Amino acid sequence: MPGPQQDALFPSDDSPDDAPVPNGPDDGAPAPTPRSAQVEPAPVPAGHQQLAQRLSPRIHFGTSSWSYPGWDGMVWDGEYSERSLSRHGLTAYACHPLLRAVGIDRSFYRPLTATEYAAHAAQVPADFRFVVKCPALVTDAMARDGDGRRAGANPHFLDPEMAWDVFVQPALDGLGGRIGALVFEISPLPPALKADVPALLQRLDRLLHALPPLPPTAPDGVLAVEVRDPDWLTPDFARVLKANGARYCLGLHPRLPPIDAQLPLLRALWPGALVGRWTLHRRHGPRGYERAEQLYQPYRQLMDPDLPTRQALARVIRATAAAGWPVHLTVSNKAEGSAPLSVFALAEAVAEDLAEKVADPPAAG
């Protein structure tokens, strides 16, 4: 299991490793009343209710996790410990009409079982979606010791059988139709591997080709690939994804170019679902998680509004949903300072874009 140094190398914005209380329904059933009523949802402003009604039901916005006490008044109606929120907060979180998805990032550090996934699924309605990260056991090219230091090549890097056993099958069995995207986030690569991108693409092609499609178990679920090195962002990468029916996960992170420079990949893969993870403001640099955490806690304000990224996202989201494809996008507290407030502002931007389209239709003829 990765240790604290691995956390520093590949930080997550997810909750602690506390398993939720399982309460287990079949996938199509309504979410039951949780065993614990100790976390109550915050009252939803009328403006947020109205905004949710204006958005396409294909749009699923969410945060990278759900265990932050600082979201009192936005998501929770009261002060709760991080432990209580991790165990019992997901049902309250899913009561907000603009929070229709959530990320499960802790699966990157430790594979989750089907039972653990099912416990999450049991706490949310059937139209809620999860964006889940594949374990590092598959997506980190380096094996690591107990402190997270590199300990040689990882023999399971992009291994199809391992990916199925520790990730895809448990997620399908546990989350079922609530899967939005299963994300293979490929960790930063050592220079020797980056020097041979064609070999990397062959590995990725073998992995994706061996995995079955997620429908019909997850009707709008997709496999997506996120990278942390710009070396991947080539036409050949797009061809591998398209040939295997996979999506590019838009990675809004300082290790990668800004969003406008990534849009050609999305165009090359059109049409199809949009998957995105907005994880860290560019001002902090590729290793800036700790700095962002220090500046932004307790995550109650938009400390660094990133209007260009938000507006570019809004345009892509609106076009994707309008064409009939699902959108699964999660936001970290480290993106602008408060993940729920980023989601609310992004929803406003999408709705404003829709209003502009209606008010100013294209000229006929």
Side-chain angles (χ1 to χ4, degrees), residues 242-267:
K242 191 163 190 173
N244 291 286
R247 306 302 299 163
Y248 172 62
C249 178
L250 191 63
L252 302 178
H253 185 285
R255 282 188 175 273
L256 296 176
I259 182 172
D260 286 344
Q262 297 183 54
L263 294 183
L265 261 173
L266 297 186
R267 286 193 286 271

Side-chain angles (χ1 to χ4, degrees), residues 60-151:
H60 291 84
F61 290 142
T63 64
S64 295
S65 66
W66 63 89
S67 62
Y68 297 97
W71 295 354
D72 174 23
M74 289 182 279
V75 182
W76 329 118
D77 189 20
E79 297 181 2
Y80 301 97
S81 70
E82 188 173 327
R83 182 178 179 84
S84 292
L85 293 172
S86 177
R87 286 180 173 271
H88 309 296
L90 185 54
T91 298
Y93 169 100
C95 288
H96 197 291
L98 293 174
L99 298 175
R100 303 185 60 238
V102 79
I104 300 179
D105 285 4
R106 69 187 180 97
S107 53
F108 180 79
Y109 300 98
R110 177 179 68 82
L112 302 187
T113 66
T115 299
E116 289 174 301
Y117 284 126
H120 290 314
Q123 298 180 63
V124 300
D127 64 350
F128 189 91
R129 295 292 177 263
F130 290 92
V131 176
V132 192
K133 284 175 64 173
C134 180
L137 181 64
V138 174
T139 59
D140 189 347
M142 304 305 297
R144 298 189 182 267
D145 63 20
D147 293 322
R149 289 185 289 264
R150 290 180 174 180

